[in-house]
Amino acid sequence: QVHLVESGGGLVQAGGSLRLSCAASGSIFSINAMGWYRQAPGKQRELVAIIASGGSTNYANSVKGRFTISRDNAKNTVYLQMNSLKPDDTAVYYCNIGLLVPGSGWSDYWGQGTQVTVSS
């Protein structure tokens, strides 16, 4: 069984910073891409940033230059450093990790979500 545990959300003033973490645990053979998504009230879930197994990254235009995604393969963990936060960044943030697990093949797993609130 695989579990993804997120941490690091909270309330911050505009211009501030937060760092999100998402750690995968359980029986894991291999990890593919790792990403962060967010969903604001009344809006669809959107991709924020993704990092491939080889380390290449891609960002939503709205966060380029402000957010940085990174991964620690030894810890099965993905991070999202968020700087210069804006009220529009307010949302529930979800991690998504592609995992190869025994008996199940490759599947996408989601974290439980962590609230990020940016006050103006």
Side-chain angles (χ1 to χ4, degrees), residues 3 5-6 8-9 23 25 33 35 38 41 54 63 68-70 77 84 90 95-96 98-100 107 110-112 115:
H3 297 281
V5 178
E6 299 182 29
S25 62
R38 66 186 181 187
V63 306
T68 302
I69 189 170
S70 61
T77 300
S84 302
T90 295
C95 63
N96 175 273
L99 297 171
L100 179 63
S107 297
W110 290 90
Q112 81 278 12
Q115 178 70 47

Side-chain angles (χ1 to χ4, degrees), residues 37 55 72 77 82 86 90 94 97 108 118:
Y37 293 72
D72 185 334
T77 300
M82 305 185 293
K86 305 175 181 179
T90 295
Y94 299 89
I97 303 178
D108 279 343
V118 184

